[in-house]
Amino acid sequence: MMSRPVPHVIYICLLVLALGLSAGCGQLSRADYITSMQKITRQMDANGGDPTFAGSDPTPQEVRSQQRAFRTAADHIEQLNAPNDIAKAQRQYVRALRSFAHDLGLLARAIEDADGDPTRLAENIDRIQRKMQEDVAQLGDAADAYRESGYSRA
């Protein structure tokens, strides 16, 4: 008796099922997670993710470059399959990174809208400063959660 060929659709369904079941099996070890986080952080800094602006007045383009660096870092961190003991802190950190990135967009817009007028710039920044401070505090809270879980080098 000849076996009947299995339609391609069934193979595809089996592949999707197998990939879905194996997704939870790829959890990173503590050491691999820390290494991955360090790599992402170095990449974020290299791509303009240092929000200090080195004492200069940033241009909207510089701020948007930082915004992209923070968003990209958040995306990469979210993709990491964190060990269970740090997963909650990772989610908190990703939310804070995304929120701060959003605020950087507001800052870029504030700089543009001021059109070189320092008084208007100060007024524009005053409107978004509280939100940015809250996001910096959230980033600090997430960093504390990492440290408390023993991931101080992440």
Side-chain angles (χ1 to χ4, degrees):
M1 177 174 185
M2 201 192 275
S3 64
R4 292 178 44 198
V6 179
H8 291 287
V9 173
I10 293 176
Y11 281 124
I12 293 170
C13 290
L14 289 174
L15 178 61
V16 169
L17 178 62
L19 290 173
L21 292 175
S22 67
C25 300
Q27 190 173 60
L28 294 173
S29 70
R30 178 186 197 91
D32 288 343
Y33 183 79
I34 290 172
T35 300
S36 296
M37 286 292 290
Q38 290 170 338
K39 180 180 176 185
I40 292 167
T41 302
R42 281 192 306 272
Q43 188 176 11
M44 179 178 70
D45 290 344
N47 291 334
D50 178 10
T52 61
F53 298 109
S56 66
D57 292 333
T59 66
Q61 295 78 15
E62 291 170 326
V63 175
R64 285 201 174 87
S65 174
Q66 289 184 343
Q67 181 185 35
R68 282 188 300 276
F70 276 86
R71 282 184 177 158
T72 299
D75 291 343
H76 288 275
I77 292 168
E78 185 176 51
Q79 295 301 313
L80 297 177
N81 195 348
N84 290 335
D85 62 338
I86 200 66
K88 182 178 178 184
Q90 176 181 304
R91 288 189 301 273
Q92 181 182 359
Y93 190 58
V94 167
R95 275 193 309 274
L97 281 173
R98 287 202 171 116
S99 186
F100 190 72
H102 172 78
D103 294 346
L104 286 170
L106 297 176
L107 177 60
R109 182 65 181 201
I111 294 168
E112 288 172 339
D113 289 348
D115 197 28
D117 180 348
T119 303
R120 263 179 60 190
L121 179 60
E123 291 169 356
N124 292 348
I125 289 176
D126 282 346
R127 285 196 307 269
I128 61 173
Q129 188 173 17
R130 177 188 286 161
K131 178 71 171 91
M132 293 188 84
Q133 289 171 340
E134 289 171 3
D135 289 335
V136 168
Q138 288 177 5
L139 285 167
D141 291 345
D144 289 344
Y146 271 97
R147 278 190 292 281
E148 290 167 7
S149 296
Y151 287 79
S152 61
R153 299 295 300 161

